[in-house]
Amino acid sequence: MRARRVVMAAAGGLLFVSAILAGVGAYLSKAVHSTIGEAPPDLHATTVRIPTPSPGVVAGWFSRGQPGGGAVLLLHGVRGSRLDMLERARLLSRAGYSVLLIDLPGHGESTGEKITFGAREGEGVIAALTYLRRELPGERVGVIGQSLGAATLVLAHPLPPPDAVIVESMFPTIDEAVRDRLAIRLGRAGAQLAPLLLFQLPLQLGVSESDLRPIDRIAALRSPVLIASGTTDRNTSWAETLRIFAAALPPKELWAVQGAGHVDLYQFSPEEYRSRVLRFFARYLRHEAKPR
């Protein structure tokens, strides 16, 4: 009798935890829409709404730079918006680049009912790259992706590939991303609950764990890549970043942002960010630069 009570209590506890995690999963995948409005006057950008195949639209700001100066697409992190990339846009615009900032699908003013952690946001990224190439024929195109934005770009496998890519704080696999975040909040034992969250992916989002492994896709990107991450990032450990770098094909560069966690790397180290990013893009996006 006692053993039965123990089993029943354990089963009840498991159901309770599963119900909580189901609620957490629903919350994390819920779209985060907000009103963004017009671009700040100093960016000299127009508001754009780019159709996607779903059907839907990707909302953003587009700022034209100097002819032959290159263009850059900016992709924010999870539960953010194009506002998170505004300072990068200003930096690049001052340097003469054309810039397109978008809200990823399911974020900001873009359409989308769910956040799929990079699996389906890619159609918005492909639409944005197509828009840039149509508006700026002949320009070389680069991308900066932050966390979810980076994973989305890699998983989207755009063709033709961008001429240069900067990947910031990207998770290698959704399994590791979930385990890392559970460990931060619940301790090491909390990471063991990851399968209960990952089990929900096909049920809630119609995607599988195997669809969300950027580390397996980064070699197929076939773009010169700068991989940057904080050395004290607990959401994506430095060891995980080193594995991503090893999986990427050359030409590639690695930037260890000393002392940074899972934060905005531009705000954390603005001078070094300016130096590294502008030097990297000048090498691959300027028409006067040597071809790779």
Side-chain angles (χ1 to χ4, degrees):
M1 193 65 142
R2 182 180 178 185
R4 183 180 177 184
R5 286 198 300 267
V6 170
V7 170
M8 293 294 290
L14 181 60
L15 286 173
F16 178 71
V17 171
S18 298
I20 291 176
L21 289 176
V24 170
Y27 168 77
L28 292 176
S29 61
K30 183 179 179 181
V32 184
H33 293 298
S34 59
T35 300
I36 307 297
E38 299 299 315
D42 64 295
L43 190 58
H44 306 292
T46 57
T47 298
V48 297
R49 297 191 179 277
I50 304 166
T52 62
S54 50
V57 296
V58 167
W61 294 325
F62 175 51
S63 174
R64 291 182 183 271
Q66 299 171 1
V72 181
L73 172 64
L74 299 175
L75 305 172
H76 62 79
V78 68
R79 309 184 74 79
S81 74
R82 73 192 101 143
L83 290 171
D84 298 336
M85 308 302 280
L86 180 56
E87 291 307 314
R88 289 170 178 78
R90 285 174 166 141
L91 165 67
L92 293 164
S93 181
R94 287 193 296 267
Y97 292 94
S98 296
V99 183
L100 175 60
L101 310 75
I102 65 167
D103 300 327
L104 290 170
H107 296 75
E109 294 179 339
S110 294
T111 56
E113 297 179 358
K114 293 285 187 179
I115 297 171
T116 65
F117 309 104
R120 293 180 179 157
E121 288 83 357
E123 74 169 16
V125 172
I126 298 296
L129 287 169
T130 301
Y131 174 88
L132 267 180
R133 291 194 170 102
R134 184 176 66 245
E135 291 293 316
L136 303 168
E139 291 284 0
R140 294 174 184 163
V141 176
V143 182
I144 298 178
Q146 181 188 51
S147 194
L148 173 64
T152 297
L153 172 71
V154 172
L155 294 171
H157 190 203
L159 294 172
D163 295 285
V165 169
I166 297 177
V167 168
E168 299 181 17
S169 309
M170 183 179 75
F171 63 84
T173 69
I174 191 64
D175 175 69
E176 289 165 289
V178 170
R179 289 179 184 277
D180 289 342
R181 286 154 180 78
L182 286 173
I184 290 169
R185 289 158 179 79
L186 302 176
R188 286 187 177 182
Q192 304 308 311
L193 297 174
L196 294 177
L197 272 176
L198 296 171
F199 177 75
Q200 301 174 47
L201 287 173
L203 300 176
Q204 295 204 29
L205 304 179
V207 300
S208 69
E209 190 178 332
S210 62
D211 295 325
L212 299 172
R213 296 180 58 88
I215 194 170
D216 293 344
R217 309 280 186 90
I218 195 165
L221 190 60
R222 299 194 179 278
S223 302
V225 61
L226 168 60
I227 296 173
S229 194
T231 57
T232 62
D233 190 339
R234 297 174 65 196
N235 286 17
T236 299
S237 72
W238 183 244
E240 291 168 355
T241 297
L242 288 176
R243 285 173 42 229
I244 293 170
F245 181 72
L249 295 179
K252 58 184 179 180
E253 299 178 22
L254 181 64
W255 176 24
V257 187
Q258 296 297 324
H262 201 74
V263 297
D264 186 316
L265 299 181
Y266 183 23
Q267 291 185 5
F268 185 85
S269 185
E271 292 305 320
E272 189 173 10
Y273 192 99
R274 290 187 189 99
S275 174
R276 287 181 178 269
V277 167
L278 293 181
R279 183 171 64 246
F280 180 77
F281 278 151
R283 181 178 180 186
Y284 294 107
L285 300 187
R286 297 299 198 193
H287 275 291
E288 64 268 19
K290 295 181 181 179
R292 66 175 189 267

